[in-house]
Amino acid sequence: MEQLLAGKVAIVTGGANGLGKAAVERFAAEGARVVIADMDCERGEALAAQLGGAARFLATNVAEADQVQALIDFAVSEFDGLDVMFNNAGVSQAIFPRFVDDDLSDFQKVINVNLLGVMLGTQRAARHMKDHGGGSIINAASIGGSQAGCGILTYRASKAAVIHFTKCTAIDLAEYGIRVNCISPGNIETEMSAFPGKGMSDEMIRKIHEVVRPLRLAAQPLKRWGKPLDIANAALYLASDMSAQITGQELVVDGGASTGDPINRFIEVAQARARIIQEISS
Ligand SMILES: NC(=O)c1ccc[n+]([C@@H]2O[C@H](COP(=O)([O-])OP(=O)(O)OC[C@H]3O[C@@H](n4cnc5c(N)ncnc54)[C@H](O)[C@@H]3O)[C@@H](O)[C@H]2O)c1
């Protein structure tokens, strides 16, 4: 069977871990040559070595314009082109303190990585793609970007901006044959979704996931826990020509979590109502 990304060259930022790593592996399995861009050199290099000739690693901070330009140049010189840019790298922030007590010390970092990083990756990739037949740009957003909620407010705001930026650049870059879409994951079990703090061990992260999983599933219509591969499959679709007519879209991959209250809550309310009516009328 024909591979979906045969002959294509892709960059995945934040590709050393989590959702980015799954996308790197999926893209390579579908015939792409992939540049892994990350600040985690140990894991990035190990992944590139595992994939052999299909992958390269470049230490990159996506919030630095010169490093992003060097990344694009590296992909073009190593693999002779660039067809897919997955701006996946992102950072979250501490859940506590609540907003009124937050000194906003992590504001700049979250915005620099999550928004400026996406803007730089898009701009520098587009400068190459516009003269080379177009391409596909995919940005990592989040359901937190469209779903309001308490906590991690800078993170939510950064992802809201990514969704809007995606739509605007889809229009701006369409004349060059460049498609721009974003993916909004819901709850996917990675290090980030355990909100790791300094000095947290793997065991702590695993235990946090164990406790948090049922809480999150209660608010999700599909009682299936999302996997990094779910996001990698969405990215593969947007990267490939299967989505040739799709641009400016937010592809939500969240088991229905952002769709609305799961039906079982409504049933609980209806059952409570029926109980009260029965008690009072008997
Ligand atoms: N996991 C989820 O449930 C979830 C939900 C919604 C959105 N997302 C988004 O998906 C993306 C990937 O998340 P993840 O869960 O895989 O996170 P992760 O923490 O597991 O991996 C993020 C990767 O990005 C890299 N990175 C961080 N800052 C960087 C920088 N300045 N330059 C280059 N690389 C950098 C890290 O080293 C790491 O390898 C993020 O943008 C995140 O906001 C994740």
Side-chain angles (χ1 to χ4, degrees), residues 74-89:
F74 179 76
V76 172
S77 75
E78 288 290 309
F79 290 139
D80 202 23
L82 178 63
D83 306 287
V84 177
M85 181 74 184
F86 186 8
N87 293 306
N88 161 76

Side-chain angles (χ1 to χ4, degrees), residues 3-13 19-35 51 54 83-88 136 138 183 229 231-240:
Q3 292 176 301
L4 286 172
L5 298 182
K8 300 222 191 244
V9 177
I11 291 174
V12 180
T13 71
L19 308 184
K21 179 175 184 236
V24 168
E25 291 171 336
R26 194 79 182 90
F27 286 7
E30 286 295 333
R33 285 163 298 159
V34 188
V35 174
L51 294 171
D83 306 287
V84 177
M85 181 74 184
F86 186 8
N87 293 306
N88 161 76
S136 172
I138 306 159
I183 298 174
L229 185 59
I231 305 304
N233 282 334
L236 173 63
Y237 172 67
L238 292 174
S240 76

Side-chain angles (χ1 to χ4, degrees), residues 14 17-19 38-39 60-62 88 90 140-141 155 159 185-186 188 190:
N17 293 289
L19 308 184
D38 207 297
M39 289 167 65
T60 311
N61 179 352
V62 297
N88 161 76
Y155 179 81
K159 295 300 187 178
I188 316 278
T190 62

Side-chain angles (χ1 to χ4, degrees), residues 90-169:
V91 289
S92 193
Q93 63 183 129
I95 309 177
F96 296 111
R98 295 287 295 278
F99 182 65
V100 282
D101 299 319
D102 191 348
D103 63 6
L104 298 178
S105 58
D106 53 9
F107 175 87
Q108 212 57 57
K109 183 179 181 197
V110 173
I111 294 295
N112 280 353
V113 178
N114 294 6
L115 180 57
L116 180 61
V118 167
M119 293 180 80
L120 289 170
T122 299
Q123 184 191 54
R124 302 310 164 98
R127 283 181 185 169
H128 174 84
M129 289 172 175
K130 87 184 221 310
D131 298 325
H132 297 86
S136 172
I137 296 174
I138 306 159
N139 299 324
S142 165
I143 56 169
S146 54
Q147 239 193 345
C150 67
I152 57 166
L153 297 198
T154 307
Y155 179 81
R156 289 179 193 277
S158 73
K159 295 300 187 178
V162 167
I163 295 167
H164 197 63
F165 172 77
T166 298
K167 294 177 183 177
C168 295
T169 44

